[in-house]
Amino acid sequence: MDLELLLESINMLWVLVAAVLVFAMQLGFTLVECGFTRAKNASNIVMKNLMDYAIGSLAYYLVGFGLMFGATAGGMLGLSGFLKPEMISTPTFIFFQTVFAATAATIVSGAMAERTQFRAYVIYSLVISLVIYPISGHWAWGGGWLSALGFKDFAGSTVVHSVGGWAALVGASIIGPRIGKYGPDGKANAIPGHNLPLGAAGVFLLWIGWFGFNAGSTVSVFSAETGVVDIGYIAMTTNLAAAAAAVVTMFVTWFRYKKPDVSMTLNGALAGLVAVTAGCDGVSYYGAIIIGVVAAILLVFGIEFIDKVLHIDDPVGATSVHLLNGIWGTLAVGLFNVDAGLFYGGGLSLLGVQGIGVLAYGVWTVVTTGILFFVIKKTVGLRVPAEEEIIGLDLIEHGNSAYPEWNTGEELR
């Protein structure tokens, strides 16, 4: 076999394996959201996450990929490859980018869990995969204006996670808190999830999938220009940041709450993964550890601030995990990148570009998802009625229960 063809085949196989790992993250998100919320809404959560991927796959194939990777129009969006994206790229790369689009979409599900109308969520899921995510993705990854400035987001701390996080913050703000979340005095009440081991299984699955998310973003294991691509290095920085964030979260919660908090520590690992995603290819191992340490602190105090000060009800902590640490990870590239970061003698140039990118993605996502959720609220309706929320979305929205033997009575409320 021709050597060039062999290397091309190996690269293609690696990208497919990585894409499957990222696809498996969809199950991880489903398990985390199910475990961290109440049993009466578990089937609804499964259905939302399933439709994120199924609807998103079709929308991204038909329109989204072309907007993201088509021939650029002024650096703002792509304008080729619609309906037949295989005319401008390979099936392997299209599939890889499809699973990334699904990740951005599904982040919102957890923040708006337990009170969102299913039909409203389906509309949101379609629009973000069809238009919102692809257009902004073009700026950094499709040859757009941010890439021309030198913006660095290797695997998507901002392109994927902050976009999902901003959308989650907007959606949770507009839809309002769950019934019983805040008392008459405004004090936040805990609403425990029904199955912590289920949530833990989801976190471990996400951690595994993240090696495909980050290391797979090399889209090759061999380059004609640089030779062998060190995907192991990216796997190491990814793992170290997650581990550091989990350990620090454990100790911070142990100090603040007198007990090491399990759900918060699980989210801590995810926070570290989100934060290192932007710079996983260009930070040192110790840089990755520091990124994870800061991610843990942002997570704990971010959840407290959003819940107790802003009074935004985010059942799974998606906003703190994906938004705050997506922002932090993107800015951290400007500090810890070994080639151009501030702490390595690179000055403020890269940090400034990273800040511009963070601001641009924030404005775009807040405006577009704000309009989207407002229109949905005024047309088909965004939130279920109070009596339906109390009964649970499984029975009302889908006519079944994830746990039928429990009889779905008062014990599920």
Side-chain angles (χ1 to χ4, degrees):
M1 179 183 289
D2 180 81
L3 179 59
E4 184 177 347
L5 181 59
L6 175 62
L7 294 175
E8 183 180 338
S9 299
I10 292 172
N11 286 340
M12 181 178 68
L13 179 61
W14 163 240
V15 176
L16 281 172
V17 169
V20 171
L21 285 171
V22 178
F23 177 34
M25 292 172 67
Q26 202 71 19
L27 174 58
F29 283 118
T30 303
L31 295 177
V32 169
E33 188 179 347
C34 279
F36 287 4
T37 54
R38 290 169 291 185
K40 63 183 179 180
N41 299 305
S43 290
N44 175 258
I45 288 165
V46 169
M47 196 67 168
K48 287 192 300 178
N49 282 272
L50 175 62
M51 287 300 103
D52 277 331
Y53 185 75
I55 293 172
S57 292
L58 296 172
Y60 193 73
Y61 172 78
L62 294 171
V63 176
F65 188 88
L67 286 172
M68 191 161 175
F69 292 101
T72 189
M76 297 304 296
L77 74 166
L79 287 178
S80 62
F82 300 121
L83 304 182
K84 289 180 72 72
E86 62 272 17
M87 298 298 292
I88 62 171
S89 188
T90 65
T92 303
F93 187 70
I94 295 169
F95 176 50
F96 185 73
Q97 291 300 328
T98 297
V99 293
F100 271 61
T103 299
T106 205
I107 291 168
V108 176
S109 178
M112 299 177 66
E114 303 200 290
R115 71 269 203 205
T116 305
Q117 288 199 45
F118 181 67
R119 61 184 178 182
Y121 188 82
V122 166
I123 295 170
Y124 149 78
S125 185
L126 171 65
V127 174
I128 193 170
S129 296
L130 191 75
V131 179
I132 295 174
Y133 168 77
I135 289 178
S136 60
H138 180 80
W139 302 346
W141 289 352
W145 67 276
L146 271 175
S147 63
L149 290 178
F151 179 73
K152 295 181 182 293
D153 187 0
F154 183 72
S157 287
T158 280
V159 175
V160 178
H161 293 281
S162 284
V163 167
W166 282 115
L169 180 67
V170 172
S173 300
I174 292 176
I175 200 170
R178 291 167 291 174
I179 295 172
K181 175 61 182 176
Y182 298 104
D185 58 354
K187 182 180 179 181
N189 299 313
I191 303 179
H194 81 282
N195 194 324
L196 202 53
L198 201 66
V203 169
F204 279 114
L205 186 55
L206 286 168
W207 197 329
I208 293 169
W210 229 287
F211 296 118
F213 201 97
N214 285 2
S217 291
T218 58
V219 298
S220 67
V221 291
F222 183 87
S223 167
E225 292 80 21
T226 61
V228 176
V229 178
D230 195 354
I231 56 177
Y233 185 89
I234 295 172
M236 277 294 294
T237 56
T238 299
N239 192 62
L240 287 171
V247 171
V248 172
T249 303
M250 178 189 71
F251 281 114
V252 171
T253 59
W254 206 337
F255 176 78
R256 286 186 64 78
Y257 313 137
K258 310 307 178 186
K259 301 285 184 181
D261 187 276
V262 179
S263 62
M264 195 86 82
T265 303
L266 289 168
N267 262 340
L270 299 182
L273 289 165
V274 169
V276 79
T277 293
C280 57
D281 68 322
V283 300
S284 71
Y285 293 151
Y286 285 101
I289 291 171
I290 295 170
I291 288 171
V293 169
V294 176
I297 296 169
L298 283 173
L299 173 84
V300 175
F301 291 97
I303 286 178
E304 290 184 5
F305 181 78
I306 290 168
D307 186 26
K308 298 178 180 179
V309 178
L310 298 183
H311 284 184
I312 295 175
D313 181 16
D314 180 352
V316 303
T319 306
S320 296
V321 170
H322 297 279
L323 174 56
L324 296 185
N325 282 292
I327 292 172
W328 157 238
T330 304
L331 296 177
V333 173
L335 300 174
F336 295 102
N337 182 274
V338 295
D339 294 321
L342 176 64
F343 296 156
Y344 290 83
L348 292 169
S349 177
L350 178 57
L351 182 60
V353 171
Q354 297 301 101
I356 292 171
V358 166
L359 180 62
Y361 276 93
V363 171
W364 165 257
T365 311
V366 168
V367 171
T368 54
T369 58
I371 293 171
L372 174 61
F373 286 126
F374 178 79
V375 171
I376 292 174
K377 183 177 181 179
K378 294 299 182 180
T379 53
V380 300
L382 187 59
R383 183 169 183 149
V384 298
E387 60 272 18
E388 296 182 6
E389 182 180 340
I390 292 170
I391 294 170
L393 303 188
D394 286 3
L395 288 177
I396 299 300
E397 294 274 15
H398 307 287
N400 59 29
S401 169
Y403 306 95
E405 68 275 13
W406 288 10
N407 198 33
T408 62
E410 288 291 330
E411 66 272 19
L412 292 185
R413 297 189 180 182

